[in-house]
Amino acid sequence: MKQKYERPTIRKMNTGLMNKFGTRTDFDPVETIDGVQVKSLVAEYGSPVFVLSEKQIRRNYQAAVRSFKTRYPKVQFAWSYKTNYLNAVCRVFHQEGSWAEVVSGFEYHKALGNGVAGNQIIFNGPDKKEADLTLAVENHSLIHIDHYDELYLLIDICKRINKTAKVAIRVNFDTGVYPIWDRFGFNYENGQAWAAINKIITAENLELVGLHCHIGTFMLSTAAYSVAATKLCDLAMRCKMELQNPVQYLDLGGGFPSTNTLKGAYLPGVDTVPSVEDFAEAITNTILNFGFAADELPLLILESGRVLIDDAGYLVGSVLANKRLSDGRRATILDFGINILFTSNWYDHKISVAKEAGQYTEETVLFGPLCMNIDVVRESITLPLLERGDQVVVHKVGAYNMTQWMQFINMRPAVVLIDMQGKSHQIRKPETLAYLEMMEEIPEYLK
Amino acid sequence: MYVSPDLNKTESLTIAVTGLNANDNPGPGLAVIRALRAGFGENIRIIGLAYETLEPAIYLRDQVDKTYRIPYPTAGAGALKARIKEIQEIEKIDVLIPNFDAELYNFIKIAPDLLQMGIHSFLPSHQQLEQRDKVNLAKFGEKHGFNVPDEGVVFTASEIDNIASKFGFPLMVKGKFYEAHTTLNSADAHRAFHKLHAKWGLPVILQKFIKGTEINIAGLGDGKGNAISVIPMRKLYITEKGKAWAGITIEDEKLITLAKDFAKATIWKGGFELEIMREDNGSLYIMEVNPRFPAWVYLTVAAGQNQPKALVDLALGRPTDDMNTYKAGKMFIRYAWDNIVDVEEFQKLSAFGEL
Amino acid sequence: MKLKANIATSENGFIFNPATGDSFTSNAIAAEILGYMKSGGSEEEIKKKILENYDVEPNQFERDWDDYMLQLKEANLLDL
């Protein structure tokens, strides 16, 4: 019986920062996802492949809802389509009771296609086409106005089709977190938001039903949400007292972070990122203590995306090659890169090997497969010795990757959902050349 | 010098200590160990917890009985907990005293788990840690009525001149995490801003320059609002990195009151160090608050109040000794000593993580 | 491919280069190869031994051998 082989390697003592006593937990292999063998996923769906855990999605959703509902009587979540708009994913959220939050015409149509009632679709964003707005008015969707041009366009549309639109305005303000996202919506501090509200109240065919804000993304401060909630409450109270138009809901938007570790952060995200509970505490305390009568408390809407799905997503890939760089550093080339793992631009993703490996580790750079210098997955990571064909598992990739991915040099891979029973389903096929060329047309003279 | 109560004489204590980097920017570990040995005598076993293989105190075998390497703070609380658990299966640690700012967040996080393993600690809360942080110090001073240097937080270079005209020059320009420059004019301040922005990101902190005498105070808060020991020390010799290389205990009610007020306002739990600037007119400014014992903490023993021993007593829920008086005029003069070690010891620690 | 004369290796896989003061750790197979090199084994002999004893394809090992020699060279442990 021959001995188990591992490639020969030496390491200088006291050089690199990490030692093997440092990150042992990261070296634990991830051989299965929700009970399904990583190896069998690759055999069935190819490599790389995105894998989503339905169990984790539902668990996240239910935990988030519980965090808010145990503190506040009226809560509604609206799934942020741009975070991951694969229909199977959206339908899981809608089954759980989530509304839809969309920021473009095609997302709006996707939500309708997924069976969401018109009055449970929130239409956000600075780019709403006239036809989409018209449809949204007819469907009684909640239109969150971003700027004056949209406000006037909406007034025109309503007049023309003789319908009333249910609207809110998006408000931006200083919450003590910089930069301020003042490019979206109407500013609170300079009075613009109040002026827009007055304009809506006087417009015949607009019904002001809510107030909306979205203060940023990957927010690490719960205090900022207290400030935001206070300012929205203030506007809501003035709507009631000064304009006799109480609003039905406050939409605090999204922005809660997942537990990924941001590049440059000293401590890992799992230890430092506030939990949904913490955010819920900050937001609901503020609203409950603002002075609304108990029966006049507005509905609280949340548009969380990232925090509900990031840790339910995995990317499984394979090692293409090992090489040594000019300065002696080890480099590993993988079959996925920034083309499909867009978030590696701002996270140090946790990456595990997919099979039991030796105790010996080495520091390596992880490159993607593109022939582009910027295609780096991790600048430095300590991993067991990898060989060509070995699989790795990237953690917490469920948010934004499956919407911001690029079809560049390589096609986009399959996406698989593992259901509650541990059965895998392909929810998006790997792209093909035929798919890619489907939209192309060749002028007659080039044929 | 110190007579321990009888109850400590019979049983033996195992105490784990970090911060063994007794180098030119020293961690307090070795001073804490020396204080513990002075306080508990023979009945003590010291476990060193080290990040680097070249932390000098590891190799002082008469001070540190055994050393284990632990994961860097960046590896997270989970990795730290797992490693301490491994160590605890071999050693029976009674009390753990972390001594690095950067590791405190994780140790505070796993403190309940440590207690379950039988390891006691005596640490501030995350909230206490946060409020004394450099970027929050101005707010902290305002809230509790302490003098802290006026500060402006800037995100763009265009904000500098406005604040500089308020504070005047010289002006301190400080990075978000580390590094500070004393600037003499607007051009200087702009240059420092861009440098710090590039290195540490935004915001950059502008701080009013305070001229005066540098005094440090070592204290121990009982977590109920009392500072049970306070020892002020004036720096006599300062290294290039601004660390005291020699200092002397001084007597000044105002300083002691300030430290007691600090402990009361924060309900501080654990060791702390206040870095104070005393202006010529006698006003005291808190320049920085360190959430742990200082590297010169052995001077508290020499002056008559053994703060590390008292911390261990507090951690174990034992009564502490009265520490009402101390000797002014006790000096410490640090010195460097070349300890000789064979390469095998270094290799052993590198490869197996313990020595 | 000859190891420098005075390189010290230990059973635990430690390597110490007295000329530079550098210390290294090695995994088991790397230490084994070093041992063969120290006792004067030729490249062919060493490769043969490893292929006999370990579960590895010759092609794979050939690649890893080259990489290992590169590491030893980088580490200043080879007499060139």
Side-chain angles (χ1 to χ4, degrees):
Chain A
M1 172 82 179
K2 287 187 172 185
Q3 292 180 58
K4 192 172 179 298
Y5 175 81
E6 181 179 66
R7 94 176 103 85
T9 184
I10 60 170
R11 182 171 50 191
K12 195 167 167 182
M13 288 179 176
N14 203 41
T15 48
L17 262 178
M18 282 294 174
N19 57 66
K20 70 170 171 175
F21 315 103
T23 49
R24 179 165 287 171
T25 49
D26 272 12
F27 303 154
D28 291 342
V30 174
E31 293 172 273
T32 59
I33 297 172
D34 271 12
V36 183
Q37 289 285 333
V38 169
K39 213 179 276 170
S40 69
L41 285 167
V42 169
E44 193 169 353
Y45 304 104
S47 174
V49 56
F50 278 103
V51 181
L52 290 159
S53 158
E54 183 176 343
K55 209 184 271 176
Q56 189 61 32
I57 294 175
R58 291 188 190 270
R59 203 184 287 148
N60 287 344
Y61 183 85
Q62 289 160 6
V65 169
R66 200 180 315 119
S67 298
F68 277 90
K69 283 208 168 154
T70 50
R71 293 176 166 84
Y72 193 82
K74 290 189 280 180
V75 179
Q76 179 61 51
F77 275 75
W79 173 240
S80 155
Y81 263 50
K82 65 181 177 296
T83 310
N84 190 321
Y85 44 56
L86 290 167
N87 287 335
V89 169
C90 296
R91 282 164 192 247
V92 171
F93 281 106
H94 298 321
Q95 266 191 3
E96 288 288 336
S98 184
W99 292 1
E101 184 263 332
V102 303
V103 291
S104 67
F106 91 78
E107 285 188 10
Y108 187 89
H109 284 277
K110 251 178 169 305
L112 289 177
N114 284 324
V116 183
N119 63 358
Q120 297 184 350
I121 302 176
I122 295 171
F123 201 173
N124 280 329
D127 175 20
K128 308 183 190 83
K129 305 276 189 289
E130 188 168 343
D132 303 326
L133 277 175
T134 308
L135 185 62
V137 174
E138 283 169 346
N139 283 332
H140 311 289
S141 299
L142 304 168
I143 302 168
H144 290 182
I145 300 170
D146 186 75
H147 44 73
Y148 273 114
D149 288 317
E150 188 171 274
L151 175 54
Y152 287 106
L153 174 61
L154 204 50
I155 291 174
D156 285 349
I157 291 172
C158 290
K159 213 175 281 173
R160 199 178 61 232
I161 64 175
N162 195 24
K163 288 250 166 79
T164 299
K166 288 183 183 305
V167 303
I169 59 160
R170 174 158 177 180
V171 187
N172 69 64
F173 24 56
D174 183 356
T175 59
V177 171
Y178 303 92
I180 298 173
W181 277 21
D182 57 0
R183 55 172 288 192
F184 303 109
F186 302 88
N187 185 253
Y188 169 84
E189 281 84 7
N190 69 9
Q192 203 185 45
W194 185 244
I197 288 171
N198 277 284
K199 181 80 207 165
I200 292 170
I201 298 289
T202 52
E204 233 169 77
N205 293 319
L206 298 185
E207 184 191 352
L208 182 75
V209 291
L211 295 169
H212 170 231
C213 70
H214 182 80
I215 57 177
T217 190
F218 216 88
M219 304 295 288
L220 294 169
S221 153
T222 55
Y225 281 89
S226 300
V227 176
T230 304
K231 292 181 175 178
L232 273 197
C233 285
D234 172 56
L235 283 178
M237 200 56 107
R238 288 174 68 191
C239 285
K240 175 173 179 267
M241 307 304 282
E242 296 175 33
L243 305 173
Q244 285 73 49
N245 184 112
V247 297
Q248 295 161 17
Y249 67 85
L250 298 181
D251 181 344
L252 265 291
F256 302 159
S258 69
T259 53
N260 261 307
T261 302
L262 289 174
K263 278 183 194 291
Y266 184 65
L267 296 170
V270 269
D271 292 335
T272 50
V273 167
S275 67
V276 175
E277 293 262 326
D278 299 331
F279 288 108
E281 185 74 21
I283 292 170
T284 58
N285 263 346
T286 307
I287 304 176
L288 288 171
N289 293 327
F290 195 82
F292 293 104
D295 57 339
E296 284 179 359
L297 279 171
L299 172 70
L300 172 60
I301 296 179
L302 283 314
E303 300 170 349
S304 293
R306 189 193 310 271
V307 74
L308 298 182
I309 195 154
D310 220 7
D311 69 352
Y314 302 83
L315 176 58
V316 176
S318 307
V319 175
L320 293 178
N322 275 311
K323 57 165 52 176
R324 206 161 279 282
L325 303 176
S326 60
D327 57 3
R329 274 184 308 155
R330 154 86 41 192
T332 305
I333 305 171
L334 303 166
D335 64 359
F336 60 87
I338 53 160
N339 52 330
I340 58 170
L341 192 64
F342 198 77
T343 49
S344 59
N345 281 312
W346 52 83
Y347 297 144
D348 281 337
H349 276 293
K350 176 180 169 180
I351 299 176
S352 305
V353 289
K355 66 166 192 204
E356 196 67 55
Q359 274 296 302
Y360 209 87
T361 59
E362 66 187 349
E363 196 185 327
T364 183
V365 194
L366 294 183
F367 291 124
L370 308 183
C371 24
M372 284 186 68
N373 206 31
I374 57 161
D375 189 20
V376 182
V377 176
R378 286 286 301 265
E379 277 92 4
S380 165
I381 183 170
T382 304
L383 285 175
L385 309 184
L386 293 166
E387 299 289 358
R388 179 181 161 82
D390 284 351
Q391 263 99 45
V392 297
V393 178
V394 190
H395 299 256
K396 298 174 198 166
V397 302
Y400 293 103
N401 284 306
M402 280 153 263
T403 47
Q404 295 187 347
W405 51 2
M406 287 180 277
Q407 169 276 303
F408 173 60
I409 299 185
N410 281 322
M411 311 259 183
R412 287 172 283 214
V415 182
V416 171
L417 180 75
I418 299 177
D419 69 18
M420 303 298 284
Q421 282 71 44
K423 192 171 174 312
S424 63
H425 306 266
Q426 181 163 272
I427 60 171
R428 193 176 196 273
K429 293 185 211 165
E431 290 174 355
T432 60
L433 184 60
Y435 164 83
L436 185 57
E437 290 179 343
M438 189 165 68
M439 307 306 282
E440 287 190 39
E441 285 176 2
I442 299 173
E444 214 35 59
Y445 73 96
L446 289 175
K447 278 185 179 162
Chain B
M1 177 183 336
Y2 189 86
V3 184
S4 6
D6 285 346
L7 72 146
N8 290 339
K9 283 225 164 122
T10 44
E11 58 171 322
S12 158
L13 277 179
T14 302
I15 301 177
V17 177
T18 71
L20 305 181
N21 56 328
N23 53 32
D24 63 336
N25 183 8
L30 186 55
V32 168
I33 291 167
R34 197 174 164 204
L36 294 175
R37 290 202 178 277
F40 292 107
E42 294 293 300
N43 300 319
I44 190 171
R45 179 171 160 80
I46 297 289
I47 306 299
L49 302 176
Y51 294 100
E52 303 274 350
T53 44
L54 287 180
E55 293 181 23
I58 298 168
Y59 301 95
L60 295 175
R61 308 304 293 270
D62 55 338
Q63 293 291 328
V64 182
D65 295 301
K66 171 100 190 190
T67 298
Y68 294 89
R69 291 185 73 183
I70 54 172
Y72 287 92
T74 49
L80 179 65
K81 190 169 96 186
R83 178 62 175 156
I84 303 270
K85 194 156 176 248
E86 273 175 29
I87 297 170
Q88 184 66 348
E89 277 161 19
I90 309 165
E91 309 289 345
K92 166 108 193 40
I93 299 169
D94 297 298
V95 180
L96 191 152
I97 309 178
N99 288 301
F100 279 121
D101 297 11
E103 69 187 359
L104 274 180
Y105 186 93
N106 286 343
F107 273 111
I108 293 168
K109 187 146 191 145
I110 67 167
D113 305 300
L114 292 182
L115 195 59
Q116 275 202 335
M117 300 178 208
I119 304 175
H120 299 257
S121 53
F122 202 72
L123 299 168
S125 65
H126 279 138
Q127 199 194 347
Q128 289 170 326
L129 192 68
E130 177 79 14
Q131 62 177 339
R132 44 122 311 259
D133 193 276
K134 190 155 72 169
V135 288
N136 302 325
L137 190 65
K139 229 185 272 165
F140 172 75
E142 194 183 320
K143 185 171 163 202
H144 298 293
F146 295 118
N147 280 337
V148 295
D150 280 343
E151 230 176 60
V153 174
V154 295
F155 287 86
T156 62
S158 59
E159 299 167 79
I160 293 174
D161 285 335
N162 188 17
I163 292 174
S165 67
K166 257 197 311 202
F167 294 171
F169 288 98
L171 178 72
M172 299 294 291
V173 183
K174 298 167 81 171
K176 185 171 155 192
F177 296 116
Y178 302 103
E179 217 174 306
H181 297 272
T182 312
T183 62
L184 298 174
N185 52 50
S186 170
D188 239 13
H190 277 82
R191 212 172 304 133
F193 171 88
H194 291 301
K195 211 190 269 175
L196 292 169
H197 174 194
K199 204 157 166 190
W200 304 114
L202 291 173
V204 168
I205 300 154
L206 303 185
Q207 193 182 67
K208 194 175 169 182
F209 184 81
I210 309 280
K211 191 170 166 287
T213 313
E214 281 187 54
I215 293 164
N216 289 356
I217 303 175
L220 176 61
D222 67 357
K224 296 177 187 140
N226 309 304
I228 63 166
S229 168
V230 175
I231 305 280
M233 176 274 291
R234 186 190 149 185
K235 293 185 187 178
L236 292 176
Y237 184 95
I238 299 169
T239 67
E240 268 178 39
K241 288 182 176 159
K243 304 290 155 186
W245 198 254
I248 185 164
T249 54
I250 55 175
E251 214 179 280
D252 182 342
E253 266 314 309
K254 273 181 75 182
L255 289 168
I256 293 174
T257 306
L258 177 65
K260 293 207 173 220
D261 288 348
F262 167 79
K264 196 169 171 187
T266 54
I267 319 184
W268 193 264
K269 188 175 171 193
F272 64 87
E273 180 190 29
L274 303 181
E275 296 186 16
I276 305 293
M277 193 67 89
R278 181 161 63 192
E279 278 190 322
D280 292 343
N281 65 12
S283 315
L284 299 175
Y285 282 86
I286 298 180
M287 307 301 289
E288 217 163 283
V289 180
N290 296 318
R292 38 133 188 103
F293 287 131
W296 54 273
V297 73
Y298 186 73
L299 187 66
T300 68
V301 183
Q305 300 191 1
N306 192 331
Q307 292 185 354
K309 178 185 179 289
L311 181 135
V312 169
D313 287 334
L314 286 171
L316 293 172
R318 299 174 174 181
T320 54
D321 316 303
D322 274 341
M323 293 189 283
N324 295 323
T325 58
Y326 66 90
K327 280 201 200 83
K330 278 283 176 192
M331 290 173 64
F332 80 92
I333 303 155
R334 198 166 277 162
Y335 67 99
W337 169 272
D338 297 345
N339 192 26
I340 305 303
V341 174
D342 282 322
V343 69
E344 286 79 13
E345 297 217 337
F346 165 74
Q347 288 181 335
K348 240 163 75 188
L349 179 67
S350 297
F352 302 124
E354 54 188 87
L355 182 70
Chain C
M1 296 296 174
K2 212 171 141 256
L3 214 55
K4 277 188 179 158
N6 48 1
I7 301 294
T9 56
S10 80
E11 273 176 30
N12 294 324
F14 296 140
I15 308 162
F16 176 61
N17 183 350
T20 61
D22 288 331
S23 287
F24 302 87
T25 54
S26 56
N27 57 357
I29 187 169
E32 189 178 336
I33 294 172
L34 273 187
Y36 295 142
M37 288 173 78
K38 266 184 85 169
S39 53
S42 74
E43 186 175 329
E44 280 66 39
E45 286 164 5
I46 300 173
K47 285 182 177 168
K48 200 164 150 252
K49 269 189 194 154
I50 296 292
L51 288 173
E52 277 167 9
N53 293 334
Y54 286 90
D55 182 20
V56 60
E57 292 299 314
N59 267 341
Q60 167 84 47
F61 183 60
E62 191 61 35
R63 267 203 312 265
D64 292 342
W65 172 273
D66 290 342
D67 181 64
Y68 187 40
M69 290 306 127
L70 200 63
Q71 292 180 57
L72 293 177
K73 194 176 137 209
E74 285 276 341
N76 239 321
L77 295 171
L78 287 186
D79 218 357
L80 297 174

